[in-house]
Amino acid sequence: MPRKTAGPMKSNTFKIKKGLDIKLMGEADKVVAESNHSSVFAIKPTDFVGVIPKMMVKAGEEVKAGQALFYSKTDERVKFSSPVSGEIAEIVRGEKRKILEVRIIPDASNSFANFNADTNSVDGIKKALLESGCWPFIRQRPYGVIANPDHTPKSIHVSCFDSNPLGPDVNFVMRGQEEAFKKGIEILKKMTSGAVHLNMSAEPGAEKSFESAEGVQNNYFSGPHPASNIGVQINKIEPINKGDIIWYCYPQEVVTIGKLFSSGQVDMTRIVALTGSRVKNPKYFKTTVGAQIKALTDANIEEGDNRVISGNVLTGQNTGTDGFLGFYDSQITVLPEGNQHKFFLTDGWLSPGLSKKRFSMSKAYPSWLFPNKKYDLDTNINGEERAFVVTGQMEKVFPFDIYPMHLIKSIMYNDIDEMEKLGIYEVDAEDFALCEVVCTSKINIQEIVRNGLENLRAEMA
C-alpha cells in the first residue's frame, strides 16, 4: 500500500526475503534510566576503519567536550573529539605503540568548546563538522570508512530501525529528539546533489519519530535481518557501481549533528539499550559516547562467566565491563560464555536433534517448528575451523544478488578483478555476519571481508 510522505517525494516499500531473525532472551524494556556516573571515558581509534591517529593532546592536559584529541594521519582535517570535559588520564598503547584508547577523567563542570556552525554554505558546514569531531559520524560506501570531505555523494542514507538480535527500538529511542533530528537532516540535504533517504521499518507506527523530516525520500523495509543493514537498503534502492559514492549515518548520529548546528556545541549524549539473557533488568540508559560499560551494567548482571559486548551479538566487540561504549554503538549485550564442553550424545554434534534449547537453521533440530521461540544462547561456536565447503546455507541468509561463497573465496586469494565482478563494492563486513553464523566451516568471514575491502581500497588509492 502506498504511503504518504512529508514533501513531494514518493515512498517505496521493499520486502527482504532472504535472512534470519535470531530471537534471544533479554530484550530491553521500554524504560529510559540515567546511567551511573562513569568515572572515565574513552575514544578508541580502533573504532574507525583505516584511521592512523596522530595525537593532539598529552596525558594530564585539560580538555573541553568537543575539543579534538587526535586527527587522521591520512587527512589532517578529520578530527576526533572528546565526548566530555576533563583531564586526559592516559593514552593506552598496544603492540608497536599502536594507540588503542584515549581516556578522559570527566570533571563536574562538563564545559563545552564552541564552534561557528555556519549553515550558509557547504564548505562552512563541512568545516564545522570537521573541527568539532562530528565528521566521523558520516561514513561512505563502498568500503564502509569515514567519508572523504572532498567528495559529493550520489545520495545519503539513514537507516531508521535495527533488526539485529535484541536491537534497540529506534522509534522509542528517538522520542523527544525529533527537532534535533530534523535539523540534522536539513544539514545532510545540503551536502548531496541527490536525495536523503530515510529507510524505515514497514511495521505500523515505526515512522512516528521521523515524520518531522521534510524533503526526504521515505523507504520502507520488511522481512528478517539484515533488513536494517545499510548495505542491504542501498542494494535495493540504488545498487553501487564502481565509482559511485554514497554516504550514510544513523539517527542518533544525525541528532548529534543537528545539535551542533543548533547550539554550536558537541553533545554526544546517547540512548543505549542494555540487553541479553544475563542482564537482570534489561532497559535503556541515557549515557554518553565512550562511557565505561560498568557504569551501565553495575549490579545488573547475573553472576557467572559472561561475555559483555559493546554492540550486538553479530558485529559487536567483546569489551568486558571494564571496556568502553563504542563510538558507533547504541547497544550493550551480555550473554553467557560458551567455554563449557558439551557432551556429544546429549547436546553436542552427535545428539539426536530433539533438544528445544538448540537454535539451528537445519531441520535436524526442531527450532524451525517454533519460529517465535526466544533462546538463551551462549557464545559457543560448537566446533573449530574446518574445510571451506559449499553447503548452500549462506545463500539463504544473504539478500544481495551476489554469490557470497564465490566472493569470499576471491577475497581469500586476493583476485581484485574477480572481487569487483562479484560485487565487493556493494558490501561491508557486517553484511556477512549471518553468513558467519550459518557457516559450517567456522570461518571468521567478517574479518576476511574487512581485510579484502582494505586491500582493495589501498590498491585503488
Side-chain angles (χ1 to χ4, degrees):
M1 181 181 295
R3 298 171 181 260
K4 294 181 180 179
T5 62
M9 296 188 181
K10 186 179 179 181
S11 64
N12 298 309
T13 300
F14 301 90
K15 182 173 179 57
I16 306 301
K17 296 181 179 179
K18 293 183 178 181
L20 178 65
D21 284 330
I22 303 175
K23 299 182 183 297
L24 301 179
M25 298 172 63
E27 182 179 355
D29 294 332
K30 299 295 192 297
V31 177
V32 178
E34 291 285 343
S35 68
N36 293 334
H37 178 71
S38 179
S39 60
V40 62
F41 290 77
I43 294 297
K44 300 176 287 186
T46 52
D47 285 342
F48 311 105
V49 175
V51 169
I52 300 174
K54 299 292 288 184
M55 293 304 304
M56 300 176 68
V57 295
K58 298 179 180 178
E61 195 171 326
E62 296 288 332
V63 295
K64 295 182 178 181
Q67 182 176 332
L69 302 175
F70 56 90
Y71 61 86
S72 173
K73 182 179 180 181
T74 55
D75 190 339
E76 295 183 6
R77 297 171 297 174
V78 179
K79 298 181 174 68
F80 303 82
S81 59
S82 174
V84 294
S85 66
E87 179 185 340
I88 303 298
E90 183 182 8
I91 299 171
V92 181
R93 297 179 182 268
E95 294 182 2
K96 300 181 180 179
R97 293 185 56 77
K98 179 181 179 180
I99 299 174
L100 303 179
E101 297 172 352
V102 181
R103 297 185 179 183
I104 308 104
I105 298 176
D107 57 26
S109 64
N110 198 25
S111 56
F112 290 84
N114 292 300
F115 299 91
N116 179 21
D118 177 22
T119 62
N120 294 322
S121 67
V122 174
D123 288 341
I125 289 171
K126 289 183 177 180
K127 182 179 179 180
L129 290 170
L130 289 163
E131 289 296 323
S132 65
C134 287
W135 186 264
F137 287 124
I138 302 174
R139 289 174 282 176
Q140 74 165 53
R141 291 292 182 98
Y143 308 126
V145 296
I146 296 171
N148 187 332
D150 293 329
H151 292 161
T152 299
K154 178 182 177 182
S155 60
I156 299 176
H157 288 248
V158 182
S159 181
C160 299
F161 69 107
D162 193 335
S163 61
N164 283 286
L166 300 176
D169 183 336
V170 179
N171 191 38
F172 173 76
V173 166
M174 291 297 293
R175 290 177 187 172
Q177 305 191 80
E178 291 85 356
E179 286 304 311
F181 180 80
K182 180 180 179 181
K183 182 67 174 180
I185 291 295
E186 292 299 319
I187 297 301
L188 294 179
K189 284 164 56 179
K190 294 183 179 182
M191 293 195 290
T192 177
S193 56
V196 172
H197 293 265
L198 296 191
N199 304 329
M200 295 172 280
S201 171
E203 291 292 323
E207 74 279 8
K208 290 291 185 183
S209 296
F210 308 102
E211 290 178 335
S212 61
E214 298 177 350
V216 296
Q217 171 68 59
N218 287 347
N219 306 299
Y220 298 86
F221 289 82
S222 63
H225 184 69
S228 68
N229 277 15
I230 205 77
V232 174
Q233 295 168 358
I234 293 173
N235 174 261
K236 301 304 178 185
I237 297 168
E238 47 181 349
I240 295 177
N241 297 310
K242 187 175 182 179
D244 288 345
I245 294 175
I246 292 176
W247 290 356
Y248 68 94
C249 51
Y250 292 90
Q252 293 201 77
E253 299 164 1
V254 176
V255 167
T256 301
I257 292 172
K259 289 179 178 179
L260 171 66
F261 286 88
S262 296
S263 66
Q265 298 178 341
V266 178
D267 182 356
M268 293 194 188
T269 302
R270 186 162 294 178
I271 306 297
V272 176
L274 177 60
T275 65
S277 61
R278 304 300 291 176
V279 179
K280 296 177 182 178
N281 187 16
K283 56 186 173 183
Y284 293 81
F285 285 92
K286 185 176 182 180
T287 184
T288 304
V289 169
Q292 193 165 31
I293 289 177
K294 68 169 59 175
L296 284 77
T297 60
D298 188 37
N300 199 14
I301 296 180
E302 301 284 353
E303 293 185 4
D305 194 3
N306 301 315
R307 180 172 298 187
V308 181
I309 301 167
S310 178
N312 63 72
V313 295
L314 299 179
T315 62
Q317 294 184 341
N318 179 10
T319 62
T321 55
D322 290 331
F324 301 88
L325 181 68
F327 189 80
Y328 299 109
D329 294 335
S330 57
Q331 178 182 0
I332 294 171
T333 312
V334 186
L335 300 177
E337 274 288 1
N339 51 13
Q340 70 280 2
H341 294 289
K342 296 181 179 180
F343 187 57
F344 67 93
L345 283 176
T346 56
D347 206 19
W349 66 272
L350 202 56
S351 64
L354 299 178
S355 175
K356 294 182 180 179
K357 296 181 181 180
R358 291 289 296 272
F359 174 82
S360 175
M361 277 194 67
S362 171
K363 292 190 176 181
Y365 289 89
S367 56
W368 65 278
L369 294 172
F370 308 95
N372 295 319
K373 178 179 172 58
K374 295 183 178 181
Y375 294 85
D376 181 10
L377 301 182
D378 58 29
T379 62
N380 197 316
I381 63 173
N382 299 307
E384 57 187 12
E385 188 172 321
R386 57 199 72 161
F388 195 24
V389 295
V390 177
T391 63
Q393 293 291 81
M394 291 186 190
E395 288 74 8
K396 296 178 181 178
V397 299
F398 194 70
F400 294 80
D401 187 19
I402 289 172
Y403 296 111
M405 177 73 76
H406 297 76
L407 177 55
I408 294 165
K409 288 188 175 182
S410 70
I411 294 171
M412 293 173 77
Y413 51 74
N414 200 29
D415 187 329
I416 289 178
D417 288 339
E418 190 169 332
M419 288 156 58
E420 289 182 333
K421 292 175 183 177
L422 289 169
I424 192 169
Y425 291 115
E426 293 199 57
V427 299
D428 196 0
E430 67 175 8
D431 299 318
F432 287 83
L434 286 176
C435 292
E436 197 169 270
V437 170
V438 303
C439 177
T440 57
S441 303
K442 313 297 182 183
I443 291 176
N444 294 325
I445 296 174
Q446 293 185 77
E447 182 180 351
I448 292 171
V449 173
R450 184 69 259 165
N451 290 338
L453 287 166
E454 285 303 285
N455 290 338
L456 180 63
R457 190 161 68 99
E459 195 72 25
M460 296 298 160

